[in-house]
Amino acid sequence: MAADKKRGAQAVRDMVLSLVVIILAAGVIYLFVPHDEDDKSNPAVKTVGYGVELKSARRAAPYPVAAPVGLPKEWRATSVHYTADGPKGAAWHLGFMTPDNEYAAVEQGDGPRRTAYIEEVTQGARKTSATQRVGDEEWERWKGDKYDALVRPAGAESAEDGDGGKGGKGGDEGAAGGSREARHPVTVVTGTATFDQLATLAESLEAKRETVQTDTGRS
């Protein structure tokens, strides 16, 4: 019996020693394998390209689609999509991570329920009495528990579209009766980023439409 107990104790000790050796070996390997700890970017967030989606949206959307031009390279695009016809109307989304890993997104929609749309894309933000100057335009400031936002109301679109015109007047909830081509989108720049960062993104935006060239053939 004593011999059995001794062998059992020896086996347990051998297992513990083996485990210690494995842990030490893993630690040595970890020390000598390169890591990205000094990289301030968030590796869990994948960077995406959006050139193809942007071009397609600018061809399909009934309004000038906004995207940044000259935004610092530290801003990383992380999400992009365009919905042609849904509850929000024609809706464009382009999301970014800021240099300090905050979220900021461009949202455009031409649906009739302007206020409901803004509240949805801003996660429940509410309009304040303050405005913020971005370039030559005044944007509304919205504040929320999760996201803040800068909002350019429908009808404030200043960029020329691909047809060479400014477009007609924008609409709010009362614009539901107008045709899609007669409405302009509300543009929202929103996220966890500061208002200064949101303004940086808003100021970089260029809104354009692209016409689809068709071959009419010869008679």
Side-chain angles (χ1 to χ4, degrees):
M1 293 293 292
D4 291 340
K5 289 183 179 180
K6 185 176 180 180
R7 284 195 295 271
Q10 181 70 35
V12 171
R13 187 176 65 178
D14 291 345
M15 289 176 61
V16 172
L17 290 175
S18 298
L19 182 60
V20 170
V21 171
I22 292 172
I23 293 174
L24 290 175
V28 171
I29 293 172
Y30 179 84
L31 289 175
F32 287 94
V33 171
H35 300 287
D36 296 328
E37 292 176 351
D38 295 331
D39 184 359
K40 294 184 179 180
S41 65
N42 185 349
V45 180
K46 183 179 179 181
T47 301
V48 301
Y50 60 89
V52 174
E53 290 84 354
L54 176 61
K55 188 171 184 178
S56 297
R58 283 178 167 169
R59 288 180 174 179
Y63 56 76
V65 172
V69 174
L71 196 65
K73 64 180 182 180
E74 292 80 9
W75 289 66
R76 297 180 296 135
T78 57
S79 57
V80 57
H81 57 78
Y82 171 73
T83 303
D85 192 11
K88 306 171 188 176
W92 165 248
H93 161 87
L94 181 58
F96 289 89
M97 292 294 287
T98 70
D100 55 351
N101 287 326
E102 296 295 337
Y103 175 68
V106 181
E107 308 279 2
Q108 288 181 290
D110 70 344
R113 301 181 61 199
R114 171 184 180 271
T115 300
Y117 170 74
I118 298 171
E119 290 175 353
E120 180 178 345
V121 297
T122 62
Q123 303 292 313
R126 293 290 185 267
K127 183 181 177 180
T128 71
S129 59
T131 60
Q132 183 157 340
R133 190 76 173 175
V134 178
D136 296 329
E137 297 176 328
E138 291 291 335
W139 290 56
E140 300 170 355
R141 272 195 176 195
W142 290 55
K143 285 193 67 66
D145 294 334
K146 187 173 183 180
Y147 291 168
D148 293 328
L150 294 175
V151 176
R152 181 168 58 188
E157 184 64 66
S158 62
E160 292 188 0
D161 62 26
D163 299 326
K166 300 281 186 178
K169 294 182 179 179
D172 204 320
E173 281 79 1
S179 67
R180 176 65 58 79
E181 289 73 16
R183 294 204 304 265
H184 283 274
V186 58
T187 302
V188 183
V189 179
T190 186
T192 60
T194 65
F195 276 112
D196 285 343
Q197 290 173 321
L198 296 178
T200 295
L201 179 55
E203 191 168 13
S204 73
L205 295 180
E206 180 181 67
K208 294 173 60 178
R209 291 182 72 183
E210 291 191 12
T211 55
V212 179
Q213 299 295 328
T214 59
D215 185 2
T216 58
R218 296 182 180 179
S219 57

